């Protein structure tokens, strides 16, 4: 799987959260998917933990040498 690197981070669009479906749901506000050599915003949604006791660790941008930055996806952790 090839990585997509950016020199300038994309701008996070303004997304208004809908009502929380349940107290267990977590709002994912910033998440990006590579598509056609660019990143497409895929955040702005509610997700529920896969199992009790898990928490959402937000995604983040990580520097990759002189190539630019690559998006590291958020994930569920215990």
């Amino acid at each position: 799987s090839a990585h997509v690197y950016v020199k300038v981070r994309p701008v996070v669009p303004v997304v208004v959260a809908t009502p929380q479906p349940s107290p267990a749901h977590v709002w994912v506000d910033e998440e990006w998917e590579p598509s056609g050599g660019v990143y497409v915003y895929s955040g702005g949604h509610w997700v529920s933990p896969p199992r009790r006791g898990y928490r959402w660790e937000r995604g983040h941008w990580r520097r990759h040498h002189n190539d630019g930055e690559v998006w590291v996806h958020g994930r569920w952790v215990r």
Side-chain angles (χ1 to χ4, degrees):
S1 68
H3 290 289
V4 175
Y5 301 104
V6 297
K7 299 290 183 185
V8 177
R9 293 178 186 177
V11 176
V12 179
V14 175
V15 178
V16 177
T18 57
Q20 188 176 14
S22 81
H25 280 77
V26 176
W27 180 254
V28 175
D29 58 349
E30 186 175 5
E31 193 66 28
W32 299 91
E33 294 291 334
S35 177
V38 298
Y39 280 100
V40 177
Y41 181 76
S42 65
H45 60 274
W46 292 103
V47 290
S48 59
R51 292 183 193 83
R52 187 178 177 103
Y54 280 69
R55 66 176 176 78
W56 181 253
E57 185 175 87
R58 294 181 68 179
H60 60 277
W61 292 100
R62 182 181 67 214
R63 189 89 172 119
H64 187 268
H65 308 291
N66 290 328
D67 299 325
E69 293 183 281
V70 63
W71 178 254
V72 178
H73 289 281
R75 63 191 181 115
W76 291 105
V77 294
R78 282 196 97 157

